[in-house]
Amino acid sequence: MTDEAAQDANNCDSCSKEDCAAKSRLHHESDQEFKDRQALMERMCHIKHKILVLSGKGGVGKSTVSVNLAVSLALSGKCVGLLDVDIHGPSVPKMLGLEGELVTNNEGLIVPVELGDMKVVSIGFFLRNADDAVIWRGPMKIGVIKQFLKDVEWGELDYLVVDSPPGTGDEPLSVCQYLPDADGAVIVTTPQDVSVADVRKSINFCKQMHMPIIGVVENMSGFICPGCGERHDIFKSGGGERMANDMGVPFLGSIPIDPDMGRAGDDGIAYTKAFADSAGAQAFKDIVAAITGEE
Ligand code: ADP
């Protein structure tokens, strides 16, 4: 199929998928809301799989997991986009060394920054200064999130990884509402009880939103000493897996604490590519295999 034909096939007016939710207006929708939803669904139609990365709270490594999941998927040969809509902490540009890169507009659409074969868009690209705090009222934040989901020219992708805002408030809720056909959520936690308690809320949030749960990832799970090679459970370990089992959701795997992962994030280096032989990179490979169902 030519690019143009593929485009047509995914245009709502000429599309033959009669049961698609983009075909008809919902009873509570205004004309503009319907047009926006149709534009978003048309754009998303070109993307085979959409994965939301969520966490109960900040600081558990949600962005680190989003970035390395996207890079590992790309390394496994997939065509990947990474979208960072974590409005208060858009760390993806820094983690991938893309600070200061401008995303140009093309006929009103945001054109992703290309990093090798991966396409990247972050709200961080649009903040004038990386140190600026986002002080916006709720509706404005939701509007920006919606624009980032609707107005990006991704083209054809196998996977879109969305680094979503943490918690269970209005912002992650909007991401779930605007991407109703997402494959589901990957929920990131650390092993401590407090973090695990928050992630239970994220699981219940997804259930209420009818968002499938792809699985739970336990980050910062043990430390493998580079000197002696022994594993030390600094923050305990296994809490995420026990909680996932208790709540009847899949457990995707554990990622150890690796000082190189922290440094790579600070230095703008893709960890799973630069430290391909590390236990952390292997953990991401296993998680990717669990998500894609491919070895
Ligand atoms: P969140 O997105 O949940 O707020 P981040 O991904 O920004 O969290 O991670 C917080 C900090 O912890 C970052 O400095 C990151 O580099 C570091 N970090 C995350 N996971 C690991 C890990 N497994 N090993 C070492 N450092 C990590």
Side-chain angles (χ1 to χ4, degrees):
M1 201 189 281
T2 63
D3 279 358
E4 223 166 90
Q7 195 85 24
D8 270 357
N10 286 324
N11 180 300
C12 290
D13 295 334
S14 56
C15 176
S16 58
K17 273 196 247 161
E18 282 309 321
D19 59 344
C20 177
K23 281 275 177 195
S24 48
R25 204 172 100 174
L26 302 174
H27 67 277
H28 57 76
E29 261 177 343
S30 66
D31 276 350
Q32 188 57 49
E33 284 165 343
F34 175 46
K35 264 169 89 179
D36 285 354
R37 186 168 61 83
Q38 224 178 19
L40 192 151
M41 290 189 75
E42 237 177 80
R43 187 107 25 240
M44 290 297 146
C45 223
H46 296 255
I47 301 172
K48 289 190 198 130
H49 301 283
K50 293 133 222 160
I51 297 175
L52 311 184
V53 183
L54 296 173
S55 66
K57 60 176 171 187
V60 297
K62 175 179 56 61
S63 296
T64 305
V65 169
S66 303
V67 164
N68 286 294
L69 194 57
V71 172
S72 300
L73 278 163
L75 288 172
S76 77
K78 306 290 180 206
C79 199
V80 180
L82 172 61
L83 174 64
D84 172 16
V85 285
D86 186 350
I87 207 150
H88 292 289
S91 16
V92 165
K94 176 154 180 66
M95 286 184 174
L96 286 173
L98 300 172
E99 271 177 298
E101 296 262 3
L102 278 180
V103 180
T104 51
N105 275 317
N106 180 9
E107 293 159 27
L109 292 178
I110 298 164
V111 179
V113 171
E114 302 211 354
L115 183 70
D117 290 338
M118 201 166 87
K119 296 180 175 178
V120 185
V121 169
S122 167
I123 279 183
F125 291 142
F126 288 88
L127 298 177
R128 259 171 298 151
N129 182 330
D131 297 331
D132 283 350
V134 175
I135 309 173
W136 293 335
R137 289 193 189 278
M140 192 166 169
K141 287 191 272 190
I142 304 307
V144 169
I145 289 174
K146 182 174 169 185
Q147 193 187 355
F148 269 78
L149 294 172
K150 177 169 77 66
D151 293 340
V152 177
E153 183 52 290
W154 293 109
E156 307 287 327
L157 293 180
D158 295 318
Y159 281 89
L160 178 67
V161 176
V162 184
D163 185 1
S164 311
T168 53
D170 278 356
E171 296 154 29
L173 189 140
S174 302
V175 177
C176 290
Q177 274 176 338
Y178 291 134
L179 293 177
D181 67 335
D183 293 43
V186 168
I187 303 179
V188 183
T189 184
T190 55
Q192 301 98 312
D193 292 342
V194 249
S195 176
V196 166
D198 277 321
V199 103
R200 285 176 188 274
K201 289 184 203 154
S202 295
I203 291 174
N204 286 330
F205 166 84
C206 288
K207 286 183 176 165
Q208 274 172 278
M209 296 296 300
H210 304 292
M211 176 58 65
I213 295 161
I214 297 174
V216 171
V217 169
E218 183 175 296
N219 185 32
M220 307 197 200
S221 177
F223 169 74
I224 298 164
C225 171
C228 66
E230 252 183 66
R231 183 192 165 106
H232 305 279
D233 286 334
I234 295 179
F235 295 142
K236 312 198 285 192
S237 78
E241 182 164 15
R242 273 193 301 280
M243 180 272 304
N245 289 338
D246 277 1
M247 295 196 73
V249 299
F251 181 70
L252 296 173
S254 317
I255 299 161
I257 297 170
D258 181 349
D260 284 334
M261 202 181 305
R263 274 194 291 272
D266 281 353
D267 295 345
I269 295 167
Y271 167 83
T272 43
K273 191 170 179 193
F275 297 91
D277 296 329
S278 63
Q282 185 56 49
F284 275 106
K285 255 191 224 160
D286 294 344
I287 291 168
V288 162
I291 292 175
T292 59
E294 295 167 15
E295 277 308 307

